Amino acid sequence: MKTLSETLGIGAQNKIFLTADWPAPDNVKTLITTRNGGVSEAPFHSLNVGAHVGDHPECVMRNREIVQNQIGLPPVAYLNQIHSNVVVNATDAMARLTDADASVDTTGQAACASMTADCLPVLFCDKAGTVVAAAHAGWRGLAGGVLQNTVRAMQVVPLEIMAYLGPAIGPEAFEVGQDVFDAFTEQMPATERAFESIGGGKYLADIYALARMVLQREGVNMIYGGEHCTVLERDSFFSYRRDGQTGRMVSLIWLEKDA
Protein backbone atom coordinates (compact mmCIF):
# COMPACT_ATOMS: atom_id res chain seq x y z
CA MET A 1 0.00 0.00 0.00
CA LYS A 2 1.29 3.45 -0.91
CA THR A 3 2.00 6.01 1.80
CA LEU A 4 0.23 9.36 1.67
CA SER A 5 3.51 10.95 0.54
CA GLU A 6 3.79 8.51 -2.37
CA THR A 7 0.16 8.99 -3.35
CA LEU A 8 0.68 12.75 -3.56
CA GLY A 9 3.97 12.38 -5.41
CA ILE A 10 6.09 13.82 -2.59
CA GLY A 11 9.59 12.44 -2.15
CA ALA A 12 10.95 11.02 1.08
CA GLN A 13 12.88 14.23 1.69
CA ASN A 14 9.60 16.20 1.67
CA LYS A 15 7.56 14.49 4.35
CA ILE A 16 4.02 15.68 5.01
CA PHE A 17 3.95 15.05 8.75
CA LEU A 18 6.61 14.82 11.43
CA THR A 19 6.44 13.68 15.05
CA ALA A 20 8.51 14.74 18.04
CA ASP A 21 11.58 12.56 18.55
CA TRP A 22 11.65 12.32 22.33
CA PRO A 23 11.05 9.73 25.07
CA ALA A 24 7.52 10.85 25.93
CA PRO A 25 5.02 8.47 27.56
CA ASP A 26 3.06 6.27 25.14
CA ASN A 27 -0.18 8.16 25.73
CA VAL A 28 1.37 11.48 24.65
CA LYS A 29 0.90 11.98 20.92
CA THR A 30 2.41 14.61 18.61
CA LEU A 31 2.01 15.76 15.02
CA ILE A 32 3.99 18.47 13.25
CA THR A 33 2.87 19.52 9.79
CA THR A 34 5.10 20.61 6.95
CA ARG A 35 4.08 22.77 4.01
CA ASN A 36 3.25 19.64 1.96
CA GLY A 37 0.10 17.61 1.43
CA GLY A 38 -2.62 20.27 1.32
CA VAL A 39 -4.89 22.00 -1.19
CA SER A 40 -3.85 25.67 -1.02
CA GLU A 41 -2.33 27.39 -4.04
CA ALA A 42 0.72 29.66 -4.17
CA PRO A 43 1.91 31.50 -2.16
CA PHE A 44 0.26 29.29 0.48
CA HIS A 45 1.03 25.97 -1.21
CA SER A 46 -0.05 23.67 0.07
CA LEU A 47 -0.92 22.60 3.65
CA ASN A 48 -1.59 26.05 5.11
CA VAL A 49 -3.61 25.94 8.35
CA GLY A 50 -3.46 29.69 9.07
CA ALA A 51 -6.83 31.42 8.65
CA HIS A 52 -5.29 34.89 9.04
CA VAL A 53 -2.78 34.99 6.18
CA GLY A 54 -5.00 35.74 3.16
CA ASP A 55 -5.58 32.20 1.93
CA HIS A 56 -9.02 31.12 0.69
CA PRO A 57 -11.08 30.11 3.75
CA GLU A 58 -12.29 26.97 1.97
CA CYS A 59 -8.69 25.84 1.46
CA VAL A 60 -7.76 26.50 5.07
CA MET A 61 -10.81 24.56 6.24
CA ARG A 62 -9.90 21.61 4.02
CA ASN A 63 -6.28 21.69 5.17
CA ARG A 64 -7.39 21.66 8.79
CA GLU A 65 -9.61 18.70 7.99
CA ILE A 66 -6.59 16.88 6.55
CA VAL A 67 -4.69 17.53 9.79
CA GLN A 68 -7.68 16.57 11.94
CA ASN A 69 -8.05 13.30 10.03
CA GLN A 70 -4.47 12.44 10.95
CA ILE A 71 -5.09 12.70 14.67
CA GLY A 72 -8.75 11.66 14.82
CA LEU A 73 -9.86 12.73 18.27
CA PRO A 74 -9.45 15.07 20.06
CA PRO A 75 -10.21 18.26 18.08
CA VAL A 76 -7.45 20.84 17.58
CA ALA A 77 -7.63 23.93 19.80
CA TYR A 78 -6.34 26.64 17.42
CA LEU A 79 -5.49 29.98 19.06
CA ASN A 80 -5.46 33.58 17.84
CA GLN A 81 -1.74 34.03 18.43
CA ILE A 82 -0.68 37.56 19.36
CA HIS A 83 3.00 37.15 20.42
CA SER A 84 1.99 37.31 24.09
CA ASN A 85 2.80 35.25 27.18
CA VAL A 86 -0.85 34.25 27.74
CA VAL A 87 -1.58 30.58 28.46
CA VAL A 88 -5.10 29.10 28.38
CA ASN A 89 -6.74 25.73 28.85
CA ALA A 90 -7.08 24.08 25.46
CA THR A 91 -10.62 22.95 26.20
CA ASP A 92 -11.65 26.56 26.87
CA ALA A 93 -10.18 27.61 23.53
CA MET A 94 -12.47 25.15 21.77
CA ALA A 95 -15.53 27.25 22.64
CA ARG A 96 -14.30 30.40 20.89
CA LEU A 97 -11.19 31.75 19.17
CA THR A 98 -9.00 32.94 22.03
CA ASP A 99 -6.18 35.50 22.11
CA ALA A 100 -3.27 33.50 23.55
CA ASP A 101 0.06 31.95 22.62
CA ALA A 102 0.06 28.73 24.62
CA SER A 103 -2.41 26.14 25.81
CA VAL A 104 -2.41 23.33 28.35
CA ASP A 105 -4.54 20.19 28.63
CA THR A 106 -5.01 17.41 31.18
CA THR A 107 -8.32 16.05 29.87
CA GLY A 108 -7.46 14.46 26.53
CA GLN A 109 -10.40 16.35 25.04
CA ALA A 110 -8.38 18.85 22.98
CA ALA A 111 -5.10 18.92 21.07
CA CYS A 112 -2.85 21.84 22.01
CA ALA A 113 -1.64 23.71 18.94
CA SER A 114 1.10 26.15 17.94
CA MET A 115 0.99 27.68 14.44
CA THR A 116 4.31 28.89 13.06
CA ALA A 117 6.25 29.99 9.99
CA ASP A 118 9.66 30.81 11.60
CA CYS A 119 8.63 31.31 15.24
CA LEU A 120 9.47 28.46 17.60
CA PRO A 121 6.80 25.89 18.51
CA VAL A 122 7.51 24.20 21.84
CA LEU A 123 5.67 21.04 22.89
CA PHE A 124 5.58 19.94 26.53
CA CYS A 125 4.55 16.91 28.54
CA ASP A 126 5.32 15.46 31.94
CA LYS A 127 7.01 12.10 32.46
CA ALA A 128 3.82 10.62 33.89
CA GLY A 129 1.74 11.55 30.85
CA THR A 130 -0.82 13.56 32.82
CA VAL A 131 -0.47 16.98 31.17
CA VAL A 132 0.57 18.40 27.80
CA ALA A 133 1.07 21.91 26.45
CA ALA A 134 2.06 23.78 23.30
CA ALA A 135 3.58 27.26 23.10
CA HIS A 136 4.12 29.69 20.22
CA ALA A 137 7.46 31.37 20.96
CA GLY A 138 8.48 34.13 18.63
CA TRP A 139 11.21 36.33 20.02
CA ARG A 140 8.68 38.67 21.68
CA GLY A 141 6.85 35.86 23.42
CA LEU A 142 10.09 34.14 24.33
CA ALA A 143 11.50 37.32 25.87
CA GLY A 144 8.13 38.08 27.45
CA GLY A 145 7.84 34.82 29.37
CA VAL A 146 5.55 32.53 27.36
CA LEU A 147 7.65 29.45 28.14
CA GLN A 148 7.88 30.26 31.83
CA ASN A 149 4.13 30.77 32.03
CA THR A 150 3.49 27.52 30.18
CA VAL A 151 5.70 25.55 32.58
CA ARG A 152 3.87 27.06 35.55
CA ALA A 153 0.45 26.41 34.02
CA MET A 154 1.26 22.70 33.76
CA GLN A 155 1.28 22.58 37.58
CA VAL A 156 3.87 19.83 37.89
CA VAL A 157 7.45 19.89 39.13
CA PRO A 158 9.64 21.32 36.34
CA LEU A 159 12.11 18.46 36.68
CA GLU A 160 9.26 16.16 35.59
CA ILE A 161 8.65 18.15 32.38
CA MET A 162 10.15 17.45 28.98
CA ALA A 163 10.10 19.90 26.09
CA TYR A 164 10.43 19.48 22.33
CA LEU A 165 11.62 22.37 20.14
CA GLY A 166 9.84 22.15 16.79
CA PRO A 167 10.88 23.57 13.40
CA ALA A 168 11.85 27.26 13.58
CA ILE A 169 14.19 29.76 11.98
CA GLY A 170 17.77 28.56 12.42
CA PRO A 171 20.78 30.47 13.76
CA GLU A 172 22.25 31.02 10.30
CA ALA A 173 19.12 32.86 9.11
CA PHE A 174 17.78 34.72 12.16
CA GLU A 175 19.20 38.23 11.79
CA VAL A 176 17.99 40.60 14.53
CA GLY A 177 18.66 44.11 15.74
CA GLN A 178 19.94 45.63 18.94
CA ASP A 179 16.42 45.68 20.39
CA VAL A 180 16.18 41.90 20.36
CA PHE A 181 19.67 41.49 21.80
CA ASP A 182 18.82 43.93 24.61
CA ALA A 183 15.43 42.34 25.31
CA PHE A 184 17.13 39.08 26.27
CA THR A 185 20.50 40.10 27.70
CA GLU A 186 19.15 42.81 29.99
CA GLN A 187 17.03 40.29 31.88
CA MET A 188 19.28 37.26 31.41
CA PRO A 189 22.93 38.19 30.70
CA ALA A 190 23.91 34.60 29.93
CA THR A 191 21.83 34.73 26.74
CA GLU A 192 24.55 36.86 25.13
CA ARG A 193 26.20 33.66 23.97
CA ALA A 194 23.13 32.90 21.82
CA PHE A 195 23.93 35.95 19.67
CA GLU A 196 26.68 36.41 17.09
CA SER A 197 27.48 40.03 16.25
CA ILE A 198 27.67 40.74 12.52
CA GLY A 199 28.28 44.49 12.90
CA GLY A 200 26.14 47.59 12.60
CA GLY A 201 24.07 46.69 15.64
CA LYS A 202 22.96 43.45 13.97
CA TYR A 203 23.22 39.90 15.28
CA LEU A 204 22.52 36.33 14.28
CA ALA A 205 20.33 34.87 17.02
CA ASP A 206 19.92 31.22 17.96
CA ILE A 207 16.29 30.93 19.03
CA TYR A 208 16.81 27.28 19.97
CA ALA A 209 19.62 28.18 22.34
CA LEU A 210 17.56 31.01 23.84
CA ALA A 211 14.66 28.65 24.50
CA ARG A 212 16.94 26.06 26.09
CA MET A 213 18.41 28.69 28.43
CA VAL A 214 14.97 29.92 29.46
CA LEU A 215 13.70 26.39 30.07
CA GLN A 216 16.78 25.34 32.00
CA ARG A 217 16.47 28.39 34.22
CA GLU A 218 12.92 27.22 34.99
CA GLY A 219 14.21 23.79 35.95
CA VAL A 220 13.27 21.98 32.73
CA ASN A 221 16.32 19.92 31.76
CA MET A 222 14.84 17.32 29.40
CA ILE A 223 14.90 19.30 26.15
CA TYR A 224 14.83 17.76 22.68
CA GLY A 225 14.58 18.84 19.03
CA GLY A 226 15.86 22.10 17.60
CA GLU A 227 17.57 20.80 14.46
CA HIS A 228 15.56 22.38 11.64
CA CYS A 229 15.65 25.76 9.86
CA THR A 230 12.36 26.87 8.36
CA VAL A 231 14.12 29.49 6.20
CA LEU A 232 16.70 27.20 4.63
CA GLU A 233 14.51 24.08 4.30
CA ARG A 234 12.38 25.65 1.59
CA ASP A 235 10.76 22.43 0.35
CA SER A 236 9.57 21.41 3.80
CA PHE A 237 8.52 24.52 5.70
CA PHE A 238 6.73 27.83 5.36
CA SER A 239 8.89 30.85 6.24
CA TYR A 240 7.53 34.35 6.72
CA ARG A 241 11.02 35.84 6.77
CA ARG A 242 11.96 34.16 3.50
CA ASP A 243 8.73 34.62 1.56
CA GLY A 244 6.65 37.33 3.26
CA GLN A 245 3.14 36.20 2.35
CA THR A 246 3.03 32.50 3.12
CA GLY A 247 1.21 29.78 5.02
CA ARG A 248 1.50 28.37 8.52
CA MET A 249 2.43 24.95 9.87
CA VAL A 250 1.00 23.61 13.12
CA SER A 251 2.66 21.60 15.89
CA LEU A 252 0.21 19.52 17.94
CA ILE A 253 0.30 17.55 21.17
CA TRP A 254 -2.46 15.68 22.95
CA LEU A 255 -3.20 13.02 25.50
CA GLU A 256 -4.60 9.76 24.22
CA LYS A 257 -7.21 8.57 26.66
CA ASP A 258 -8.24 4.95 27.10
CA ALA A 259 -11.45 4.06 25.30
Side-chain angles (χ1 to χ4, degrees):
M1 180 180 294
K2 287 186 176 182
T3 65
L4 182 56
S5 294
E6 292 169 335
T7 301
L8 295 174
I10 297 172
Q13 73 276 15
N14 295 331
K15 294 180 180 179
I16 297 175
F17 301 109
L18 308 174
T19 55
D21 183 11
W22 62 345
D26 290 342
N27 68 316
V28 173
K29 305 300 179 181
T30 64
L31 187 77
I32 300 168
T33 69
T34 66
R35 68 177 304 158
N36 301 308
V39 301
S40 294
E41 298 180 353
F44 311 105
H45 53 300
S46 63
L47 191 59
N48 165 50
V49 298
H52 62 293
V53 298
D55 195 2
H56 294 295
E58 299 84 2
C59 292
V60 177
M61 184 178 299
R62 177 58 186 141
N63 288 335
R64 289 188 177 189
E65 288 174 353
I66 290 170
V67 174
Q68 187 65 58
N69 288 339
Q70 286 295 307
I71 71 171
L73 292 174
V76 177
Y78 290 99
L79 303 173
N80 184 38
Q81 298 171 176
I82 55 175
H83 296 275
S84 69
N85 60 12
V86 177
V87 185
V88 298
N89 288 323
T91 51
D92 293 341
M94 295 302 304
R96 61 182 178 85
L97 188 61
T98 304
D99 291 348
D101 284 270
S103 62
V104 176
D105 185 62
T106 60
T107 69
Q109 296 176 8
C112 300
S114 172
M115 287 189 295
T116 58
D118 286 335
C119 291
L120 174 64
V122 184
L123 304 178
F124 297 86
C125 72
D126 69 326
K127 290 197 296 185
T130 65
V131 57
V132 293
H136 164 249
W139 77 261
R140 289 180 180 84
L142 189 54
V146 68
L147 298 188
Q148 296 94 313
N149 288 356
T150 304
V151 168
R152 293 162 191 162
M154 293 176 71
Q155 297 185 347
V156 294
V157 177
L159 284 174
E160 295 294 309
I161 294 174
M162 59 183 71
Y164 184 84
L165 311 182
I169 187 170
E172 296 180 2
F174 193 20
E175 182 178 322
V176 300
Q178 192 68 43
D179 57 335
V180 178
F181 178 87
D182 293 343
F184 285 96
T185 58
E186 287 178 0
Q187 61 176 308
M188 192 176 175
T191 58
E192 183 174 351
R193 66 178 183 268
F195 295 88
E196 177 187 345
S197 176
I198 55 176
K202 300 291 185 180
Y203 302 84
L204 290 176
D206 187 340
I207 199 168
Y208 292 126
L210 290 167
R212 290 187 185 99
M213 291 180 201
V214 169
L215 289 168
Q216 288 167 351
R217 187 176 64 173
E218 293 300 303
V220 177
N221 295 319
M222 295 181 289
I223 306 171
Y224 306 88
E227 67 272 7
H228 289 290
C229 178
T230 48
V231 175
L232 299 181
E233 296 176 59
R234 180 182 297 271
D235 292 339
S236 295
F237 303 115
F238 295 116
S239 169
Y240 179 80
R241 179 163 292 220
R242 183 188 64 227
D243 298 326
Q245 191 174 28
T246 192
R248 297 294 185 272
M249 291 90 65
V250 66
S251 297
L252 302 168
I253 187 166
W254 67 97
L255 292 170
E256 185 175 73
K257 294 295 188 178
D258 295 334

